Amino acid sequence: MRKVIFTVTGILLAFLAFSTAAKSQGVIVPIICDIRPCRPIPPPVPFQASLPIKSIKFDTNISDQTATTKVEQIFRNDTNYTLEGIFFFAIPDGAAISDFAIWENDKRLTGEVRTRDQARQIYNEIVRKQRDPGLLEFIGKNIIQASIFPIPPNSDKKLEITYTQVLKADSGSIAYVYPIGLNRSPIQRREPVAATSGYSRPEVRQISGIVRIDSSRQLGTIYSPTHQISVDKRSGGRSAIVTMDAAGANSDFKLYYGYTESAIGASMITYREPGKDGYFLLTITPGEVSNSFENKDIVLVIDTSGSMADQGKLDKAKAALKYAVETLRDSDNFNIVAFSGDVRLMETGMIAANSQGKKRGREFIESLKPSGGTNIADALQSAIRQFKPNERPKMLVFMTDGNPTVGLMKTDQILDATKKAAKESVPMRIFTFGFGFDVNTSLLDAVATDNGGMSDYVAPDEDLEVKVSNFVTKISSPVLTDLSINYGSLETEMIYPRDLGDLFNGGQIVVIGRYKNSQAVSENTITVSGRIKGQKRDFTFRNINAPLRSETNDFLPRLWAARRVGWLLEELRRNGESSELKTEVIELATRYGLITPYTSYLAVEDEMAPLPMSAAERDRIANEAAKSMANVSGAPAVSLSKKQNNMKSSISLARGDKKDSVFADSKENIKFVGAKTFVYTDGEWRDLELTDKVKLPLVEVKTFSKEYFDLVSSIPDLAKYFSLGDKVAVILDGKIYRCSPE
């Protein structure tokens, strides 16, 4: 096999002419060649400053904490020219490259790359000469470099690279990161307007990955805060296959997993800037406890009013009910309540979910027909009275497609009657489902929240049967009920969710909060308590750390803000306008890019309202939001409830379904960098924390001066902020840093 030595001769001028910046991801910067060695030729305009990445595939094998990642990148040359390019790739800290190859005419050619020290020296020189702040994003990273020739016209060029690293474990959590972020334009844009030079933004057209985890210990929670993933656990929970697939890429892929040594496992990650309160995310997950499932009592309540005949809603609901009955274990107890203008019980009390009981359930479900009005109040009260005192967990699943039309019809009256019935009965959790857009979201949200459950909604274009069945499966096997947490010496505040609920087999509980200890907390002990088969149990987790400085998990403030805003919105919708809560929603949503009625301008596609806004503009938006939040029914009300609930349970920044997304995409004059938000105003990218009230020491440097490069070299964290443009102001480590060409 022919061996190719990748050199840098003749490439430096090309890189200077067509600069690009990438955040920790391989990129090829091309020049046109008519002879070899390549001689730079003035390119036509428009001309791509970096080759688009047609696809990225990474395949990672993790054995305990040693990860080996093989990356395949396919670049696309859409021009009519033969190109030569320079290739940069940033590898994780402590990683060692074991293989690098380029494909040419279906042949795999083994290559050599410059060492990290050589690549760093070349790269730093390029940054200084090119004077493009976009290039700063590689500062402080471990990079390798090689040159690629030839890249034929209108063709693909495939590269492969393999590296190995040891993953770090802290507080029971292990993190794996694959760097895929590309968040800079190829030619630095000094203003947030469309580029006029004809250069296009570097694009990643497709990204996919698979991570195989093999462990000698029981795996606990596996989740990604950045991307939607699929997890398949195998070998008794000691191995797992994680897959992800996305169109395009705008952030690094982050994956976290922990271990479960007993019936319950827990792990924690933190984020804290110096001098500020910290953030933590605690995950609680069940282990192998198939013989420890709680026997439960469950009442299924179904609306059979005339409107349920529309679009086959009752037929789908009946199919979901049958599935729910079949998932019950013989030791469970259940009853079914159907309601329209009046209430109909399957039985006068709970019955065992044995074969005879399930047969009775199927017969009752088959008999249901749509007719009459909607008596929600009596249905809730009748269902609550089915529960009798015992140590079993108790769940009530309530499904309706409309507003009350019979009996009590005012929301506060129904809530009062439900509270009274619950107080006279035994503790239970109520889960509510609204079908369609005619439901009273205020009522369903409040019933669920008041009784330790959750609400959800099925839009007309969603599959009612699948959604309800999935939920029933989720709550079918309680492992630990009535959870509580003792955080030891950790001084916590503003923890969400407020009610931890119950832990189910195959599920997890994710707690997000803040901590404010004045000293670093190390080897702390956290105790998770709950009930298993009616007996109180404590699970102790030691060596949980909460440092004074922890800047790896910079997504945590945004997730915490989403949880906080979800809770605030629920309070505002339920109790009416409060200037204090409204102001907090606006400030948090603006800073962290959350879509709310008060900040819906963040989601506008064409352009965004200027920031900071005038008081009059803010009042106008707030007044429109107040009208929107006053609606209890209709498509906007259902959408708002779904967004609110998504915020309250958010553990990921992944967008998912855009119409119900709670995180705004970055716009032209607002950028999210780590935990910070920057706004372009008066020709400067300004940290939103930097207000007229902030009084901190100021460090000013002239952009691209010797002092400028010395500063970003000595404080690498500055590079990711200064890379926004040639005029930036940011707060970091108790100082204000400002760069400007003036």
Side-chain angles (χ1 to χ4, degrees):
M1 179 177 291
R2 181 162 65 95
K3 190 173 185 179
V4 180
I5 305 294
F6 299 111
T7 70
V8 78
T9 305
I11 303 302
L12 184 57
L13 289 177
F15 192 88
L16 298 181
F18 309 111
S19 68
T20 188
K23 179 186 176 185
S24 306
Q25 179 54 54
V27 66
I28 291 179
V29 181
I31 59 175
I32 301 172
C33 296
D34 62 347
I35 61 172
R36 180 69 171 161
C38 189
R39 176 174 61 84
I41 296 176
V45 176
F47 184 76
Q48 292 171 316
S50 64
L51 295 186
I53 302 174
K54 184 177 180 179
S55 66
I56 298 174
K57 295 180 181 178
F58 64 92
D59 191 316
T60 302
N61 290 288
I62 302 176
S63 179
D64 285 325
Q65 290 176 226
T66 301
T68 299
T69 300
K70 180 180 179 180
V71 184
E72 175 193 279
Q73 285 186 257
I74 299 179
F75 294 85
R76 179 66 186 175
N77 177 10
D78 287 322
T79 75
N80 296 322
Y81 301 91
T82 297
L83 303 177
E84 178 169 4
I86 189 168
F87 175 75
F88 279 99
F89 190 94
I91 61 175
D93 290 340
I97 296 176
S98 57
D99 188 37
F100 180 73
I102 181 172
W103 288 78
E104 183 178 324
N105 298 325
D106 296 326
K107 293 183 179 180
R108 188 178 189 275
L109 307 178
T110 303
E112 293 181 358
V113 299
R114 297 282 184 178
T115 66
R116 278 178 280 184
D117 290 341
Q118 291 173 321
R120 167 63 53 204
Q121 183 178 357
I122 294 169
Y123 183 79
N124 288 349
E125 187 63 23
I126 289 172
V127 173
R128 285 174 171 78
K129 290 187 177 181
Q130 178 57 19
R131 301 168 67 82
D132 183 343
L135 295 175
L136 293 175
E137 291 196 79
F138 267 153
I139 292 289
K141 299 183 183 295
N142 295 319
I143 60 174
I144 63 168
Q145 167 267 323
S147 66
I148 311 297
F149 179 87
I151 308 174
N154 299 302
S155 69
D156 296 338
K157 178 61 68 173
K158 183 167 74 173
L159 283 75
E160 293 178 352
I161 188 166
T162 303
Y163 59 87
T164 300
Q165 64 189 120
V166 177
L167 306 179
K168 296 179 180 179
D170 183 32
S171 299
S173 182
I174 299 172
Y176 169 78
V177 179
Y178 177 71
I180 60 178
L182 280 171
N183 60 5
R184 299 298 307 158
S185 299
I187 295 298
Q188 172 61 28
R189 291 157 69 166
R190 310 303 180 190
E191 297 180 359
V193 295
T196 58
S197 62
Y199 290 85
S200 61
R201 182 179 178 86
E203 60 175 318
V204 179
R205 297 175 180 175
Q206 190 68 30
I207 172 83
S208 61
I210 182 168
V211 180
R212 300 176 182 85
I213 306 174
D214 289 303
S215 173
S216 57
R217 301 159 63 185
Q218 182 78 31
L219 291 171
T221 300
I222 302 174
Y223 72 99
S224 169
T226 56
H227 292 75
Q228 291 183 322
I229 61 173
S230 174
V231 179
D232 178 17
K233 284 189 177 181
R234 301 180 177 183
S235 302
R238 285 180 169 78
S239 69
I241 297 178
V242 181
T243 56
M244 64 84 68
D245 197 336
N250 57 14
S251 63
D252 295 347
F253 171 70
K254 297 182 179 180
L255 183 72
Y256 291 82
Y257 65 94
Y259 299 115
T260 303
E261 301 295 349
S262 59
I264 304 297
S267 61
M268 192 174 84
I269 60 175
T270 60
Y271 175 83
R272 189 171 191 176
E273 295 181 58
K276 297 183 180 181
D277 289 345
Y279 299 83
F280 71 89
L281 183 149
L282 177 69
T283 60
I284 305 170
T285 186
E288 288 294 305
V289 288
S290 58
N291 60 346
S292 300
F293 295 150
E294 289 271 28
N295 300 321
K296 64 182 180 292
D297 290 348
I298 185 168
V299 175
L300 304 168
V301 186
I302 180 64
D303 184 345
T304 60
S305 60
S307 59
M308 285 290 286
D310 298 341
Q311 300 175 324
K313 283 183 286 188
L314 185 57
D315 289 338
K316 295 176 183 178
K318 288 166 65 174
L321 280 176
K322 290 178 183 177
Y323 177 82
V325 170
E326 293 303 321
T327 62
L328 297 175
R329 293 187 298 278
D330 290 352
S331 53
D332 292 334
N333 295 329
F334 79 107
N335 201 347
I336 301 175
V337 177
F339 73 97
S340 52
D342 54 11
V343 178
R344 179 185 172 195
L345 302 178
M346 180 185 73
E347 295 290 342
T348 55
M350 308 290 280
I351 65 173
N354 52 28
S355 58
Q356 185 176 353
K358 290 178 180 178
K359 181 175 181 292
R360 173 71 183 115
R362 290 191 297 269
E363 292 173 346
F364 181 79
I365 294 168
E366 279 297 329
S367 71
L368 300 179
K369 306 293 182 184
S371 66
T374 308
N375 192 338
I376 290 179
D378 284 356
L380 281 169
Q381 293 175 69
S382 297
I384 289 171
R385 295 190 183 106
Q386 300 307 304
F387 294 107
K388 303 303 179 184
N390 58 46
E391 294 182 340
R392 295 168 174 249
K394 298 167 180 60
M395 305 172 195
L396 191 160
V397 180
F398 185 88
M399 296 170 277
T400 182
D401 78 330
N403 278 290
T405 60
V406 177
L408 299 178
M409 287 183 282
K410 292 185 178 180
T411 297
D412 56 351
Q413 292 177 333
I414 297 175
L415 290 176
D416 288 343
T418 302
K419 286 180 181 178
K420 182 179 179 181
K423 186 176 181 180
E424 294 173 351
S425 184
V426 293
M428 74 201 72
R429 300 194 183 278
I430 300 180
F431 304 91
T432 60
F433 272 92
F435 304 152
F437 295 140
D438 294 329
V439 294
N440 185 326
T441 59
S442 178
L443 172 62
L444 296 184
D445 289 346
V447 168
T449 298
D450 288 348
N451 294 278
M454 63 184 72
S455 59
D456 202 356
Y457 299 88
V458 185
D461 60 345
E462 294 180 298
D463 192 318
L464 183 157
E465 180 182 347
V466 170
K467 196 160 188 178
V468 175
S469 298
N470 287 343
F471 171 77
V472 171
T473 299
K474 177 182 176 181
I475 66 169
S476 64
S477 302
V479 174
L480 189 67
T481 61
D482 298 329
L483 267 71
S484 63
I485 301 174
N486 184 323
Y487 291 92
S489 58
L490 198 62
E491 299 176 18
T492 61
E493 64 177 5
M494 296 187 182
I495 300 172
Y496 302 98
R498 294 291 182 93
D499 187 330
L500 295 177
D502 302 325
L503 180 63
F504 299 95
N505 185 45
Q508 63 183 17
I509 291 177
V510 179
V511 184
I512 301 177
R514 295 182 6 182
Y515 67 94
K516 54 183 180 179
N517 298 66
S518 58
Q519 301 292 326
V521 178
S522 60
E523 299 183 358
N524 184 37
T525 297
I526 287 179
T527 302
V528 177
S529 301
R531 290 185 176 275
I532 295 181
K533 292 186 177 295
Q535 301 297 315
K536 188 175 184 300
R537 291 282 302 276
D538 294 331
F539 299 91
T540 301
F541 304 95
R542 297 178 173 82
N543 300 318
I544 303 294
N545 302 318
L548 291 180
R549 180 168 189 150
S550 174
E551 298 181 350
T552 302
N553 306 304
D554 56 16
F555 58 87
L556 282 182
R558 207 170 177 203
L559 287 182
W560 173 86
R563 291 276 187 105
R564 172 71 177 168
V565 168
W567 180 81
L568 291 171
L569 287 177
E570 187 174 52
E571 290 292 303
L572 285 165
R573 294 182 73 193
R574 182 168 182 174
N575 301 317
E577 289 285 340
S578 162
S579 59
E580 182 179 354
L581 298 187
K582 182 172 64 177
T583 298
E584 186 176 358
V585 167
I586 293 172
E587 290 177 348
L588 286 173
T590 301
R591 177 178 175 186
Y592 293 106
L594 303 174
I595 298 176
T596 73
Y598 301 103
T599 54
S600 58
Y601 58 88
L602 284 171
V604 175
E605 294 296 338
D606 48 2
E607 61 181 72
M608 190 177 67
L611 293 173
M613 291 182 291
S614 65
E617 178 68 12
R618 179 165 291 188
D619 288 343
R620 182 189 68 79
I621 293 175
N623 290 334
E624 291 181 357
K627 295 177 182 178
S628 172
M629 294 183 67
N631 295 327
V632 297
S633 296
V638 169
S639 177
L640 180 54
S641 281
K642 293 177 76 171
K643 284 186 170 68
Q644 168 188 301
N645 290 338
N646 286 344
M647 286 183 178
K648 289 170 61 180
S649 60
S650 180
I651 63 169
S652 174
L653 301 178
R655 299 305 196 274
D657 187 353
K658 190 168 185 178
K659 66 181 179 181
D660 291 321
S661 173
V662 300
F663 295 103
D665 291 317
S666 180
K667 303 302 176 185
E668 288 300 331
N669 62 334
I670 185 169
K671 298 292 182 185
F672 306 111
V673 182
K676 290 183 174 293
T677 303
F678 289 80
V679 173
Y680 190 82
T681 180
D682 297 330
E684 179 181 63
W685 286 104
R686 187 172 301 164
D687 186 346
L688 266 185
E689 294 182 73
L690 185 54
T691 66
D692 294 337
K693 297 179 181 180
V694 174
K695 305 297 180 184
L696 293 172
L698 174 63
V699 178
E700 291 186 287
V701 293
K702 184 176 181 179
T703 308
F704 309 130
S705 65
K706 180 181 182 301
E707 291 76 16
Y708 172 89
F709 287 111
D710 289 344
L711 189 62
V712 295
S713 295
S714 61
I715 310 177
D717 285 344
L718 270 181
K720 62 183 179 183
Y721 304 126
F722 278 6
S723 67
L724 286 170
D726 56 12
K727 196 172 183 181
V728 180
V730 60
I731 296 178
L732 184 65
D733 292 346
K735 295 181 181 179
I736 301 171
Y737 292 93
R738 172 173 275 126
C739 68
S740 173
E742 301 166 358

